[in-house]
Amino acid sequence: GAGVSQSPSNKVTEKGKDVELRCDPISGHTALYWYRQSLGQGLEFLIYFQGNSAPDKSGLPSDRFSAERTGGSVSTLTIQRTQQEDSAVYLCASSLVQNTEAFFGQGTRLTVV
Amino acid sequence: GQNIDQPTEMTATEGAIVQINCTYQTSGFNGLFWYQQHAGEAPTFLSYNVLDGLEEKGRFSSFLSRSKGYSYLLLKELQMKDSASYLCAVRDGGFQKLVFGTGTRLLVSP
């Protein structure tokens, strides 16, 4: 596609429910990142996929968070048993190779009520 | 681990020059990026430094000193539309992940 696509753009969920956030990277991009941004804050690293290598999961805040990338393309970030502190904008980015600029999607705004 | 520091907020006047500093401490280094982020929007790429020195791109320039763990973004001839957050990000040399600082909110006034 022309850019990084994320869906849904907005998600309101009840506390305790599971949510899935989707990221479609730019075609051919081997590196994919997930970040979380709370209101007025910086980008918090969550997870990084590079090609077929094992992902770097060091930023996932708890075992309620998981992510996968199928076929080296689309990625899904899953949050189980959502909590109010999970409310944030979740941003996905991709890059052609690991040492080039990353392009960001528009993000998914998650609100847990 | 990684530690990336930037000032939280800066103000400047339209037409002026502003320098936004970034210091970093990482377990490895494989490049430094600057991004611009307007409120409610996704970050967009501004510049990339991997070697020491100055990279110039129009009104924006970015400098890197690897020995000092230091970079700055220089914005010239400021315009109102430059009011945004500016994010410094370092690519970790070992794990290759891209880690961001907390960002500097720049307010340009008339």
Side-chain angles (χ1 to χ4, degrees), chain A residues 17-87:
Chain A
K17 294 286 177 70
D18 298 352
V19 294
E20 283 190 354
L21 312 180
R22 177 187 168 105
C23 173
D24 246 302
I26 294 172
S27 179
H29 280 195
T30 59
L32 186 147
Y33 306 82
W34 282 98
Y35 295 91
R36 177 169 71 174
Q37 188 172 35
S38 301
L39 189 63
Q41 302 298 309
L43 273 67
E44 176 189 4
F45 169 79
L46 296 178
I47 188 168
Y48 165 56
F49 295 90
Q50 172 54 48
N52 295 321
S53 302
D56 180 343
K57 304 179 181 181
S58 60
L60 294 179
S62 77
D63 59 8
R64 296 187 296 106
F65 288 72
S66 63
E68 61 179 26
R69 188 178 185 191
T70 53
S73 181
V74 172
S75 178
T76 302
L77 177 69
T78 301
I79 309 173
Q80 296 178 309
R81 305 181 302 281
T82 51
Q83 304 295 313
Q84 287 186 328
E85 61 262 28
D86 299 336
S87 296

Side-chain angles (χ1 to χ4, degrees), chain A residues 33 35 37 58 98 102 105, chain B residues 35 37 42 45 91 97-98 102:
Chain A
Y33 306 82
Y35 295 91
Q37 188 172 35
S58 60
Q98 55 202 27
Chain B
Y35 281 79
Q37 186 179 28
F45 170 78
R91 176 158 277 126
K97 64 189 181 189
L98 192 60
T102 53

